[in-house]
Amino acid sequence: MPQTKAQIFRDLHQSGNPFILANAWDIGSAKMLEALGAQAIATSSAAHAFTLGKPDLGFVTRDEALSHAADLVAAVNVPVSGDFENGYGDSPDDCAETVRLAAEVGLAGICIEDTALPSTDAYDFDLAVERIKAAADAARQVKDDFFLVARADGVMHQTYDQAEGRRRLQAFEAAGADGLFAPIYGDLAAMTDLCASVSAPVNMLLAGSYTELRHADVAAAGVARISLGSSLARATHRVIFDAATAMFGEGDFSLMRKSIAGKKVDSLLK
């Protein structure tokens, strides 16, 4: 029997052999990334929010996120994972319901973070673990496979240190998380230590100083998955910002010379 997309997605997670989880922000970007070689697509909460004219951190509703995710699932032939913020609620039951709804729209998995959005405060340790346990229990009840990633975002938000981030990820693994994620955890040595401290596959966010690394560097650290987050979307926003600043400020249109041919884009969307 052929593997389902969810089973394929799980098999992509190999510590020391990281695949690139390409975060898209609309149907067009998802289809382009698939055509260019992405083995799996993910939503990005920030990038999706930008398409709605909203800021990042808790302003997109669960229904909006689910509808957006369903659009991407229908548009591509590779697995799709959801960046589902804090599970769209504070309680363990909220997280469990989000898992069930995510599976219903065809997602192969989701991330749930330990941040009490829209603030950057971290949930208390015990509640954070209870939330992941409830989500993991719900994931095991899904008819198809479902890959749950638990995020410890406090190091990135400077609400707790690396030791606490490691403690949380270890507890999340014990609670049933399939994968672990601490965005902007530290330098490559810190990431290497983190990967060695857990058994579950670890995701690394390609942002900040990590963009200076090569794939081989990340593999050697023991990482299993490299996600783009909103980095690629914000790269397109950089082009908009730079071109508009030059046009409206100096009457300079030269940045338009860097645009890609329409026919090339068309060929990637078929």
Side-chain angles (χ1 to χ4, degrees), residues 211-235:
T211 58
E212 300 173 7
L213 301 174
R214 304 288 294 179
H215 186 274
D217 300 323
V218 180
V223 170
R225 185 172 97 181
I226 303 167
S227 60
L228 307 181
S230 61
S231 294
L232 187 57
R234 286 186 287 106

Side-chain angles (χ1 to χ4, degrees), residues 55-86:
D56 189 14
L57 294 179
F59 291 93
V60 174
T61 69
R62 182 166 64 184
D63 285 347
E64 287 173 327
L66 287 165
S67 177
H68 170 62
D71 286 342
L72 300 196
V73 168
V76 299
N77 296 310
V78 295
V80 179
S81 181
D83 174 10
F84 273 20
E85 301 195 296
N86 67 337

Side-chain angles (χ1 to χ4, degrees), residues 5-253:
K5 289 181 183 179
Q7 292 167 338
I8 292 170
F9 188 61
R10 180 177 293 277
D11 289 347
L12 286 172
H13 293 79
Q14 302 171 19
S15 299
N17 183 28
F19 75 100
I20 299 171
L21 182 60
N23 297 80
W25 53 94
D26 59 15
I27 292 172
S29 60
K31 293 181 72 170
M32 283 187 69
L33 288 166
E34 180 188 22
L36 290 166
Q39 294 175 282
I41 298 294
T43 66
S44 161
S45 59
H48 178 214
F50 298 158
T51 69
L52 300 175
K54 297 182 178 183
D56 189 14
L57 294 179
F59 291 93
V60 174
T61 69
R62 182 166 64 184
D63 285 347
E64 287 173 327
L66 287 165
S67 177
H68 170 62
D71 286 342
L72 300 196
V73 168
V76 299
N77 296 310
V78 295
V80 179
S81 181
D83 174 10
F84 273 20
E85 301 195 296
N86 67 337
Y88 298 102
D90 297 324
S91 75
D93 287 345
D94 290 327
C95 295
E97 180 66 6
T98 292
V99 167
R100 287 189 286 268
L101 293 171
E104 287 177 5
V105 301
L107 287 170
I110 61 171
C111 291
I112 293 180
E113 62 193 63
D114 63 348
T115 306
L117 298 174
S119 77
T120 57
D121 296 335
Y123 291 111
D124 289 341
F125 178 86
D126 289 343
L127 176 57
V129 174
E130 288 175 15
R131 284 161 40 82
I132 295 304
K133 184 180 186 308
D137 289 346
R140 299 296 78 82
Q141 295 170 21
V142 170
K143 182 178 179 181
D144 196 358
D145 200 358
F146 193 87
F147 198 88
L148 174 69
V149 173
R151 287 177 50 159
D153 282 28
V155 178
M156 176 175 66
H157 293 309
Q158 300 181 337
T159 55
Y160 53 70
D161 60 16
Q162 288 181 357
E164 175 63 10
R166 183 169 57 251
R167 181 172 84 107
R168 287 182 177 233
L169 291 180
Q170 290 170 341
F172 295 161
E173 180 178 7
D178 300 297
L180 306 170
F181 185 10
I184 318 297
Y185 182 76
D187 61 17
L188 192 60
M191 184 61 68
T192 302
D193 289 343
L194 175 62
C195 291
S197 74
V198 295
S199 298
V202 174
N203 182 96
M204 188 190 81
L205 175 64
L206 190 73
S209 62
Y210 291 158
T211 58
E212 300 173 7
L213 301 174
R214 304 288 294 179
H215 186 274
D217 300 323
V218 180
V223 170
R225 185 172 97 181
I226 303 167
S227 60
L228 307 181
S230 61
S231 294
L232 187 57
R234 286 186 287 106
T236 68
H237 284 84
R238 165 55 69 183
V239 173
I240 295 171
F241 179 87
D242 289 346
T245 299
M247 282 190 298
F248 301 130
E250 304 167 14
D252 179 2
F253 300 97

